[in-house]
């Protein structure tokens, strides 16, 4: 599902980031951790084909990245990746329903009201469809953003610092929601975080094995 080799990304005039080789199987919960500035968000951007590798190979869901033209990368991302960014980027002028409809439109699929309602309902926020983002609590906004991320049933869900600035109860909620959503969808889940609470919030598998696979970035 995610395979990388000798992956490197250089910000123009800035940091050079060297990433460890990975081989992540479908359905995995990957916990991407490490101190602030170690490259977690950059790794997510690479996996989402938002930026192209400077060197090395990166294959995600059977697609070799870095070779796609921008429009093809956009289409691939819309089909494959559900992104829950740190800043949620809900459009302030649009209702919750319209924010999700816009995601379908941007992905080039016909507006599907039933699917939008189902995605909102699966996250417990169906009754908020007519609200504007400013009329949502932080937790509600995160649920709406997650509903938008999984609207097109992506194979891969990427969450960037989903517990940042949440208290313990809300952080536990956010992690449980991500795990449940990924499991229901049969998606691979990557949680990027420098929050040590997250590892403790991922329950072990029924056979007692660790509930996540760790990927630790040391930074430079
Ligand atoms: P993390 O998410 O782990 O905190 P980031 O991936 O955001 O780390 O950043 C990794 C490194 O790349 C940091 O040193 C950061 O300063 C640098 N960086 C991030 N974004 C940019 C950018 N747009 N231009 C130049 N350097 C950047
Ligand atoms: Mg980050």
């Amino acid at each position: 599902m995610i395979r990388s080799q000798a992956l490197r990304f250089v910000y123009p005039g800035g940091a050079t980031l060297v990433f460890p080789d990975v081989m992540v199987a479908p359905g995995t919960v990957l916990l991407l951790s490490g101190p602030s500035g170690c490259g977690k968000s950059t790794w997510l951007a690479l996996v989402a084909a938002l930026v192209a590798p400077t060197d090395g190979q990166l294959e995600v869901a059977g697609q070799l990245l870095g070779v796609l033209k921008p429009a093809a990368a956009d289409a691939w991302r819309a089909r494959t990746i559900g992104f829950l960014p740190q800043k949620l980027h809900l459009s302030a002028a649009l209702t919750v329903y319209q924010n999700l409809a816009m995601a379908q439109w941007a992905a080039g699929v016909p507006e599907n009201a039933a699917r939008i309602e189902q995605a909102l309902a699966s996250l417990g926020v169906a009754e908020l469809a007519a609200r504007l983002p400013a009329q949502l609590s932080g937790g509600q906004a995160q649920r709406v953003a997650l509903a938008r991320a999984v609207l097109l049933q992506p194979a891969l869900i990427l969450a960037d610092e989903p517990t940042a600035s949440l208290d313990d109860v809300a952080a536990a909620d956010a992690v449980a929601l991500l795990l449940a959503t990924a499991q229901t969808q049969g998606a691979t889940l990557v949680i990027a975080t420098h929050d040590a609470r997250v590892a403790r919030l991922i329950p072990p598998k029924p056979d007692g094995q660790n509930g996540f696979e760790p990927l630790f970035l040391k930074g430079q």
Side-chain angles (χ1 to χ4, degrees):
M1 155 63 53
I2 309 175
R3 208 161 51 81
S4 78
Q5 217 179 0
L7 183 63
R8 220 165 60 92
F9 184 78
V10 180
Y11 281 103
T16 295
L17 301 167
V18 180
F19 296 102
D21 294 352
V22 300
M23 173 87 89
V24 180
T28 302
V29 175
L30 185 74
L31 184 61
L32 175 61
S33 63
S36 261
C38 69
K40 300 181 296 297
S41 294
T42 305
W43 194 84
L44 294 182
L46 286 160
V47 168
L50 288 164
V51 297
T54 306
D55 308 291
Q57 291 224 322
L58 177 60
E59 191 186 305
V60 179
Q63 173 67 54
L64 188 62
L65 302 185
V67 297
L68 296 171
K69 297 214 165 73
D74 288 347
W76 173 85
R77 185 182 318 108
R79 283 197 310 274
T80 315
I81 304 284
F83 208 116
L84 185 66
Q86 189 170 0
K87 293 187 70 184
L88 301 175
H89 296 299
L90 295 171
S91 294
L94 302 181
T95 66
V96 164
Y97 177 92
Q98 289 167 337
N99 266 277
L100 271 66
M102 192 172 76
Q104 290 175 332
W105 175 77
V109 303
E111 182 174 329
N112 180 338
R115 175 65 197 135
I116 291 172
E117 279 150 27
Q118 182 192 20
L120 290 172
S122 73
L123 286 150
V125 288
E127 77 285 3
L128 305 178
R131 294 220 194 152
L132 293 169
Q135 300 167 320
L136 304 174
S137 72
Q140 289 170 336
Q142 195 179 44
R143 282 169 180 257
V144 168
L146 185 55
R148 181 181 59 180
V150 300
L151 188 61
L152 300 169
Q153 286 159 320
L156 187 57
I157 300 172
L158 307 177
D160 199 0
E161 305 285 359
T163 60
S165 72
L166 299 183
D167 66 30
D168 287 353
V169 172
D173 254 19
V175 171
L177 204 62
L178 280 165
L179 293 170
T181 302
Q183 188 162 32
T184 308
Q185 304 247 337
T188 303
L189 172 65
V190 181
I191 303 180
T193 188
H194 70 278
D195 181 350
R197 295 177 300 178
V198 175
R200 296 194 291 274
L201 289 170
I202 301 175
K205 292 184 183 150
D207 62 6
Q209 288 199 330
N210 215 344
F212 62 87
E213 207 171 288
L215 173 58
F216 183 77
L217 303 181
K218 283 197 302 288
Q220 310 306 311

